[in-house]
Each structure stands twice: as C-alpha cells, then as structure tokens.
Amino acid sequence: MGSPSGPPFDPDDPDRERRERDTEPIPRIGPEDGPGPGHGRPDGPSFSDDFGYGDGPYSGEGRSGRAWVRDPEAGYQPPQITEDELAGLRVDASGIPSGSRRVLPLEDEPSSLTARYLFPTERYRGEWKRHWVHLATPITVGIAATFVLGYLSGFLAGQDVGALTTVAVLLWFAVMGWVAWRVADWWYDRFILTNKRVMVVNGIVTRKVAMMPLARVTDMKYEQSPAGRALNYGTFVLESAGQDQALREIKNLPNPNELYLRVVEEMYEPAAVEARLGKEADEAKADDGA
C-alpha cells in the first residue's frame, strides 16, 4: 500500500483550504440538471437562461473561472409613447413639421404696386394691407358729418338762408373727400416681406418706401391691445443693430401671430420655407394637370 501523493496532512497548514477548493471537481451545468440554484448546484449562485460568457457591465466570475454577463436585451420593454406626445414631432415627406399651425394662403406673385420695389433675385413672400380698424377714425368722421351736416342743411333750407345751406353742403363734400383720401391711402399702404427684408410702402402723391434687412433685425415683437385681440390686429416693433432706423413701428397689421411666425421662420428657417412653398407649387401643378 503506497503512500498518497502530495504533502502529508497538516491541520495547521494555511493553504489547505485553498488547495482543496482548487482541486474540487466542477459539476456539469446543463438543462438536464433540472431546476434549482446553479442548475444542479444546490449551494451555488442562481443562473438564468439569459446569462452568457463575456465581458460587460453585469459580468462576474464563477467558481469555474469563466466570466458571465447578462444579455442587455433580455427583458427589455420599449417605452410607451402616446399619440399626443407624437403629435408635435411628425413631419411630412419634405421634413416640414405637420402640426396644427395654420398657414394663411398668399398670392404667388406680387401686385404691380409691390413688384416695382423688388430686385430680380429677391424672393417674394407676401404683402399685407393694414387692418380695417386703421380706417375707424375717417369712417366715423364721415358718418358723423353726414348726419350732422345733413340735418343742418335741412334746417337751414327751411330758414330760407341759401348761402349757409350751400356752405354746409360744401363742407360735407370736403369731409367726404378727406375720407376718400384716407381710404385710398390705406389701400396703397402695404407691408411687404421677402427672403431678404421687410418693407413698408405708403403714400399716394408722395411715395415713401422704408425697409430693414432681415439680417440686421436684432429683436422683434408685436403688441395687441384688448381691442386688437378681439379684432385680430396688432403693432409690430422691430429693433435693428443700427442707430437710425427707417422702419421700426408698424401699426394695425392683421393676423399678427401668423405674420410674426412668417417673419421669424424666414429669419431662422429659410430652407423650410423654400421646401414648403416648393411643395405647394408642385401640388398646384398636379391639380392643374388633373
């Protein structure tokens, strides 16, 4: 009977437990070992079927010396996103947001009044007359003058003073002429937007043209009084980097929110404007061809 291999048993040997652990046989782990901790290893760690070998943030080292890592895709649940959250993120085929913003239709070509002030490489974006509230004062004066002078003319005619009646009639014609002048001035007063600048053109006998390049606009705002909110008009205030400004305050412009968005979009997203207008032009051609 030979002596066993290795050093003799020494209960005080400090390396005895390490040698016994290193020489302990490794059990076979597989699906046939059945359920339980460690798949057949009652005292070992619990492994699930989605563990693999490799390096990763969830890796560790078992008693066999092999590294294990949890599959990062195991048990992943995609986030639930509602339709309301996606409403503001949808875009059309051209990349333009397809939200609830309402874009007012514009004329494709400038009017003859506006075209003379545009240079050939400038892209026309729209022109607007001032809100009808701009005519509130002359119209009110005209209506009041009609009632007052009409009553006065009838009263003077009964008093047999023809000269004063003629004066009252001439005064009424003068007031109506002033009202007609103000209406014509309103008709020829235009706010113009292009891809390069904003302009205001007004005057009948003496024409005035004021402009500001979009590249020099440092700040822009619009103000609405309670009446402006009710009737949908406002006052635009433009700030420029220069000291002297030919165009700063434009009063009584219609649809101020829509106009504000158009100017800001032209300043910061000119490519989106070009894409939208190009798509609208293609759709119009397709409709004409159909």
Side-chain angles (χ1 to χ4, degrees):
M1 182 174 180
S3 60
S5 62
F9 175 77
D10 185 0
D12 298 329
D13 186 0
D15 296 332
R16 180 176 57 84
E17 294 183 0
R18 179 180 59 80
R19 286 198 302 270
E20 290 179 354
R21 182 176 67 251
D22 292 343
T23 57
E24 181 180 2
I26 300 174
R28 181 176 180 271
I29 300 176
E32 65 275 8
D33 294 325
H39 291 279
R41 188 85 185 269
D43 58 344
S46 176
F47 296 90
S48 61
D49 293 335
D50 55 0
F51 283 143
Y53 296 109
D55 297 329
Y58 302 100
S59 62
E61 186 170 345
R63 298 191 62 176
S64 63
R66 295 181 179 179
W68 53 268
V69 60
R70 184 177 180 85
D71 185 358
E73 296 182 358
Y76 174 75
Q77 297 295 330
Q80 301 296 325
I81 303 176
T82 64
E83 290 295 326
D84 294 338
E85 294 174 327
L86 292 175
L89 302 177
R90 290 194 175 93
V91 295
D92 55 22
S94 61
I96 307 301
S98 57
S100 59
R101 176 190 166 190
R102 179 174 56 93
V103 180
L104 298 180
L106 297 175
E107 297 294 335
D108 296 332
E109 298 294 333
S111 63
S112 58
L113 175 66
T114 301
R116 69 185 71 177
Y117 302 109
L118 305 180
F119 53 87
T121 58
E122 196 170 18
R123 293 186 180 273
Y124 169 79
R125 298 305 190 209
E127 59 183 289
W128 295 264
K129 294 190 292 290
R130 296 183 191 259
H131 195 271
W132 61 263
V133 78
H134 193 68
L135 298 173
T137 299
I139 291 177
T140 302
V141 171
I143 293 174
T146 299
F147 280 100
V148 172
L149 294 177
Y151 174 80
L152 182 61
S153 298
F155 175 78
L156 293 175
Q159 299 297 323
D160 197 16
V161 282
L164 292 179
T165 303
T166 303
V167 171
V169 173
L170 293 177
L171 183 59
W172 181 82
F173 275 110
V175 173
M176 290 298 103
W178 175 78
V179 172
W181 180 274
R182 290 295 301 272
V183 172
D185 185 69
W186 167 81
W187 177 261
Y188 287 104
D189 190 353
R190 305 293 173 90
F191 176 82
I192 305 166
L193 174 65
T194 72
N195 66 328
K196 301 291 185 182
R197 54 184 172 157
V198 292
M199 291 187 294
V200 171
V201 179
N202 56 19
I204 300 176
V205 177
T206 302
R207 300 293 289 168
K208 298 178 182 178
V209 180
M211 60 85 68
M212 180 180 293
L214 291 176
R216 294 189 60 187
V217 176
T218 58
D219 190 19
M220 182 180 66
K221 66 178 181 179
Y222 72 90
E223 302 172 350
Q224 281 186 291
S225 63
R229 296 183 64 184
L231 300 176
N232 197 21
Y233 71 91
T235 298
F236 272 72
V237 179
L238 303 176
E239 297 289 346
S240 174
Q243 297 295 328
D244 297 330
Q245 301 177 20
L247 180 60
R248 185 179 185 275
E249 187 177 87
I250 311 103
K251 296 181 178 181
N252 301 330
L253 288 177
N255 302 312
N257 187 69
E258 172 65 22
L259 185 54
Y260 175 83
L261 291 177
R262 284 189 179 274
V263 176
V264 172
E265 188 178 31
E266 195 63 53
M267 293 170 58
Y268 295 105
E269 295 292 341
V273 179
E274 292 287 348
R276 185 179 70 247
L277 295 180
K279 182 180 179 182
E280 292 176 356
D282 294 341
E283 291 177 352
K285 292 180 180 178
D287 293 339
D288 293 341

